[in-house]
Amino acid sequence: MVLPQRPEGRRLHPVTPWRRAWAPMAALFAFAVQDPERARQGAEHLTPGRLVAGLAVLLPLIAAYGFLSWWMTSYLVTETELRIRTGLLFRRVAHIRLDRVQAIDVGRPLLARLIGVAKLRLDVVGTGKKDELAFLSEREAVALRAELLARAAGMAPESASEVGEAPSRELVRVEPWTLVVSLLLLGTSWGTLAAVLVVPPLVGWASGSLWAALVVTVPLLGGVWRGGLGRFLTEFDWSVAESPDGVRVDHGLLDRAHATVPPGRVQAVRIVEPWLWRRRGWVRVELDVAGGGGEGSDVLLPVAPREVARAVLERILPGMDPWEAEAVLRPSPRRARRVVPLWWRGYGHGVTATVFASRRGLVCRKLSLVPHAKVQSVRVTQGPWERVFGLADVHVDHGANGTVTARLRTVEEARAVAAAQAERSRTGRRTARPERWLT
Amino acid sequence: MSRTSGADVRQHPGVEEWRGVERGLLRMRRTLLVAELLPVAVALGALLGPLAGPWWASVAAVPLAAAAWGWRALALNWRSWRYAERADDLLIARGVLWRRLTVVPYGRMQLVEVTSGPLERRFGLARVQLHTAAAATDAHIAGLAPEEAERLRDRLTELGEARSAGL
């Protein structure tokens, strides 16, 4: 067989083609579960002879496809970009500009850890999803990540590949016990658990069929998994470390993830304070990083005491003090209760020298902070009902496709905030750090 | 309604000179409105009159009433659209019931787009759209004269380059 021209660049690890092998299996399994009768008939037709014949045809085909797709995939690091070439029939070359890279994660799913491979995920501004290199050998993944970050930081290209992993200093490590307690103190995990214990028996009793009860249970169990056990597994052994190429976040029990957020790429910070955590002074810190891929925000700290959160944030965004921002928050005026009864008390807004801050929520408080230098545009909006009471909302859009809203301010204040914010964002940008932070 | 004009969120301190959009935009939208609703009214009247009796044919008044209301609403909406260029940012104000004022600093603009569809061209209109790194930024001005749109684009691009800032 004549092999097609192999694209230039380095290759991935040979296990690469198998990374999607589970998808057809899962589809087959889902089919069998949905239609058990036909699956049973199908299994009866499957005599050993046919099985062997089928495998004899299928296996070489799969192997050939796998080999070719591996053969046609390569990556190349140039001075300014990372090029990833993929595709057998439909060729695709992704050019990723290194100065637009927001974060680089090294992910090690359970199976990949057993084989000793890892995947590299890149967050790039302006792309919806993360581009990934799956899989590389672990050593190669770490080296490539270091090289990409060094080049993105503007280091001399010749030395970039030799610098290796920059040294890091651990800032925080979340104890497993703290994590367990924090998850137990979340209302949502108990709520879903209660729902699992109450709803399926009720449905079973009402409909008189076991199937209906089971069908209801499965999504509920999914909720319990996401809220409790699944979160424990992903947030296990959470550590945040500081290194010259950014803040390192390591976590996971089965799937180890290793993310690096370069300094200055954080667009907004959100501090979540569930009701039952408040007495202990615990908070959860989430980051909005540009190009985050729209899969929710990135967690910086799953649970930490307030002072620790402040110290870590200080490292990421110098001058950012969430508790100073919290202290300047002012609640919405009293007439806001006509617009949003009861919950109006949860809204607060304030501005410090460095950030635009806004809080919402009564039971679970969420404090959002946007550094002035990251504000892309400012909007003031007012609906008809708000106009009756002379209230307006101020929205601040930041580069991570997010918006932080200060709701229910008086019109005079909203206008003043918008005018001042435009001014602050302009002067804030002058003092912002350079794009290539090592030059 | 609003107690004083000073409480209008579409105003902005320190802006005297607002520019409105072309009257052609209102004409285009009214034409579209009539072109959509009038055939509906005619069809309803023509079908229901002979088939269900003249009483039922009065249902045709509904699209007519909608068109009359829309005729006025479009005028209000058209009048509410304004923009102002300041030294460092562009302001866009609009809306009657849901009012909105957008401020985009020049240094944040990634791209300025001028578009003009076939219908817009017929009415001598063009549309300027500003893109920043935030997708939520909703900054477009519809209904500009093509020359004005081009002037605005060139000026914004120039100012954007001069004041450009990274993410």
Side-chain angles (χ1 to χ4, degrees), chain B residues 25-159:
Chain B
L25 181 70
L26 178 61
R27 277 208 300 275
M28 182 180 87
R29 289 186 171 165
R30 280 182 166 167
T31 311
L32 278 175
L33 181 82
V34 171
E36 279 166 15
L37 289 177
L38 210 59
V40 174
V42 170
L44 275 177
L47 278 175
L48 288 174
L51 288 178
W55 185 243
W56 279 97
S58 61
V59 173
V62 174
L64 285 181
W69 177 80
W71 188 268
R72 201 180 126 62
L74 283 178
L76 286 174
N77 181 275
W78 171 76
R79 208 167 296 141
S80 74
W81 276 86
R82 289 174 310 167
Y83 65 97
E85 297 160 67
R86 292 201 305 170
D88 290 295
D89 40 28
L90 180 79
L91 275 67
I92 303 171
R94 68 164 207 247
V96 181
L97 276 180
W98 275 271
R99 297 179 167 184
R100 153 191 303 244
L101 172 86
T102 307
V103 185
V104 188
Y106 295 136
R108 298 270 120 169
M109 284 183 304
Q110 305 270 333
L111 168 74
V112 185
E113 232 175 12
V114 175
T115 53
S116 180
L119 194 64
E120 281 171 315
R121 275 203 300 278
R122 233 182 110 44
F123 285 86
L125 298 172
R127 171 191 165 99
V128 172
Q129 169 98 46
L130 278 71
H131 296 276
T132 69
T137 302
D138 166 41
H140 68 274
I141 311 171
L144 294 172
E147 313 81 61
E148 165 68 0
E150 272 162 33
R151 184 199 65 80
L152 195 62
R153 179 195 60 198
D154 293 346
R155 190 174 136 77
L156 292 178
T157 314
E158 191 182 308
L159 288 166

Side-chain angles (χ1 to χ4, degrees), chain A residues 2-228:
Chain A
V2 183
L3 283 173
Q5 179 75 44
R6 188 184 161 78
E8 54 173 346
R10 288 185 253 172
R11 354 183 136 190
L12 300 177
H13 196 276
V15 302
T16 304
W18 311 116
R19 72 183 188 277
R20 291 203 193 92
W22 58 269
M25 300 285 189
L28 212 61
F29 181 73
F31 170 74
V33 167
Q34 270 197 341
D35 203 344
E37 186 55 28
R38 276 186 61 188
R40 196 179 54 78
Q41 281 178 6
E44 273 172 6
H45 283 296
L46 210 63
T47 56
R50 284 184 186 180
L51 190 68
V52 168
L55 285 181
V57 175
L58 275 180
L59 276 184
L61 274 181
I62 295 174
Y65 170 77
F67 173 76
L68 281 176
S69 87
W70 171 75
W71 178 258
M72 294 306 293
T73 306
S74 74
Y75 67 93
L76 183 69
V77 186
T78 70
E79 271 178 41
T80 51
E81 50 186 31
L82 169 70
R83 293 190 198 141
I84 305 175
R85 291 163 194 272
T86 52
L88 199 58
L89 291 177
F90 299 94
R91 304 273 164 84
R92 170 174 182 263
V93 188
H95 290 243
I96 300 166
R97 273 181 60 187
L98 293 180
D99 55 354
R100 284 287 175 256
V101 169
Q102 299 287 318
I104 303 182
D105 304 353
V106 176
R108 279 177 291 173
L110 185 58
L111 276 175
R113 259 163 100 191
L114 295 179
I115 315 174
V117 294
K119 60 180 168 190
L120 208 64
R121 266 200 309 267
L122 296 122
D123 268 354
V124 186
V125 179
T127 56
K129 62 177 180 53
K130 295 188 176 189
D131 261 296
E132 61 177 29
L133 279 172
F135 284 97
L136 297 166
S137 74
E138 259 175 44
R139 196 177 40 79
E140 208 180 349
V142 170
L144 180 61
R145 195 185 61 101
E147 181 181 347
L148 292 178
L149 281 171
R151 282 181 192 265
M155 202 176 262
E158 309 81 56
S159 61
S161 52
E162 284 115 54
V163 286
E165 180 98 318
S168 66
R169 194 171 64 82
E170 188 172 289
L171 295 173
V172 196
R173 183 172 285 271
V174 178
E175 296 297 321
W177 181 241
T178 316
L179 184 63
V180 170
V181 173
S182 74
L183 289 176
L184 288 180
L185 286 178
L186 279 181
T188 47
S189 50
W190 290 107
T192 44
L193 192 64
V196 166
L197 294 180
V198 173
V199 173
L202 269 180
V203 169
W205 174 73
S207 66
S209 102
L210 192 66
W211 267 108
L214 271 178
V215 165
V216 176
T217 315
V218 172
L220 284 174
L221 280 179
V224 171
W225 170 262
R226 266 198 309 279

Side-chain angles (χ1 to χ4, degrees), chain A residues 218-262:
Chain A
V218 172
L220 284 174
L221 280 179
V224 171
W225 170 262
R226 266 198 309 279
L229 196 57
R231 242 174 96 169
F232 175 74
L233 290 180
T234 50
E235 293 176 359
F236 181 81
D237 194 24
W238 193 285
S239 82
V240 178
E242 181 192 33
S243 79
D245 54 11
V247 173
R248 302 256 175 83
V249 179
D250 275 278
H251 60 95
L253 181 64
L254 300 179
D255 294 1
R256 276 308 270 181
H258 178 84
T260 306
V261 183

Side-chain angles (χ1 to χ4, degrees), chain A residues 329-341:
Chain A
L329 285 181
R330 281 184 301 128
S332 297
R334 258 192 83 73
R335 54 194 146 131
R337 72 185 190 281
R338 306 266 180 83
V339 182
V340 183

